[in-house]
Amino acid sequence: MSLLSLLEVSDTTTDIVKWVSLGTVFLLLGVIAIICFSVKKRTYDAKHIAAAGITIGLSFALSYAKISPLPYGGSITLASFVPVLIYAYVYGIVDGLLAGTIFGLLNFVSGPYILTPFTFILDYLLAFASIGIMGVAKKFTKKQTFNVVLGTVAVFFVRFIFHLISGVIYFMDDAVWVDLPDWAMANAFIYSLIYQLVYIPADCAIAAIVMYILAKTKVLDSLVKIITPKMKKAVTESAEEPAPAESLKTDDDKTE
């Protein structure tokens, strides 16, 4: 398949990718199950899997509480990204990326809308996979409130870029959302930029405020403690334990 074929508009594209994405969701779940039961080095356990399922499910449910001011996709939700952001914050970039991808596929299956196969990849795979960025938020600074807010903004910024590129493809194909001044109508990049600015900053602000409140009120600490696997806790606690008394003896004590 050439790159140009990915940009070709097809009337059957949405239906095809709908079923492909549904199959991909089950495939990803199967891969997770195989990893959990076959790879001993990973810290996957029942709690890990349950945390993934619950957070993705909550995010998917919250995505239905939304305002959709635009005709070609994009909506302002009730902090739908927050549960999966918390999951990524606890489990890291790889698990966050996987959870985000599944969340994106579920969003597509529930309401598929694409123009080309390439816009499907941008809007529902890469844009949602950006949630994995939250997995490195702990390393930003020592302040949790700052880290979670900055991590949330970083996720939405990357998401914005992917939707922006997808929008350029849409509006190059004359998918006019609303009549704008001639200087905007003549440039697909500017048109897409305005389109994305209608909803993504608002969705980001809601998610960032919720994450800030959760961190400030220490609710986030409680949630992190609940969904962190026992194995991961044990490793952390053992690393924090003080050295045995014998190792603290001086050379003079040892000679005695």
Side-chain angles (χ1 to χ4, degrees), residues 13-186:
T13 297
T14 297
D15 289 335
I16 293 174
V17 180
K18 175 180 178 179
W19 292 109
V20 170
S21 62
L22 182 60
T24 305
V25 170
F26 288 105
L27 177 62
L28 287 172
L29 292 175
V31 170
I32 293 174
I34 293 172
I35 292 175
C36 293
F37 292 106
S38 64
V39 183
K40 296 181 180 180
K41 292 183 179 180
R42 300 290 292 179
T43 57
Y44 289 111
D45 59 8
K47 197 171 188 179
H48 194 152
I49 300 173
I54 291 171
T55 53
I56 294 172
L58 284 173
S59 287
F60 186 54
L62 288 171
S63 68
Y64 280 91
K66 62 185 178 181
I67 299 174
S68 301
L70 301 166
Y72 298 116
S75 57
I76 302 170
T77 66
L78 187 61
S80 63
F81 268 52
V82 167
V84 282
L85 286 175
I86 295 174
Y87 176 81
Y89 183 74
V90 173
Y91 287 98
I93 187 170
V94 175
D95 290 306
L97 186 150
L98 183 60
T101 301
I102 295 175
F103 179 39
L105 289 170
L106 288 173
N107 269 268
F108 177 77
V109 172
S110 66
Y113 189 91
I114 61 173
L115 186 68
T116 72
F118 191 54
T119 58
F120 163 74
I121 295 172
L122 291 168
D123 285 332
Y124 294 99
L125 297 183
L126 298 179
F128 283 84
S130 64
I131 290 170
I133 296 172
M134 194 67 171
V136 298
K138 290 181 180 179
K139 301 179 181 179
F140 292 161
T141 67
K142 294 182 178 180
K143 295 187 64 176
Q144 186 184 63
T145 52
F146 178 81
N147 289 345
V148 296
V149 171
L150 182 59
T152 301
V153 173
V155 167
F156 275 87
F157 177 76
V158 175
R159 177 191 174 192
F160 180 89
I161 296 300
F162 287 126
H163 286 317
L164 176 64
I165 297 171
S166 176
V168 171
I169 298 173
Y170 269 80
F171 300 119
M172 284 178 63
D173 197 64
D174 296 327
V176 178
W177 154 49
V178 66
D179 289 333
L180 296 176
D182 293 339
W183 58 269
M185 296 288 289

Side-chain angles (χ1 to χ4, degrees), residues 203-223:
D203 204 33
C204 175
I206 294 172
I209 290 171
V210 172
M211 291 296 291
Y212 175 82
I213 293 173
L214 292 176
K216 195 70 174 177
T217 59
K218 303 300 181 181
V219 174
L220 181 60
D221 289 334
S222 299
L223 293 174

Side-chain angles (χ1 to χ4, degrees), residues 245-256:
E246 292 182 359
S247 64
L248 299 178
K249 290 182 179 181
T250 63
D251 292 338
D252 293 337
D253 294 333
K254 292 179 180 178
T255 56
E256 294 177 359

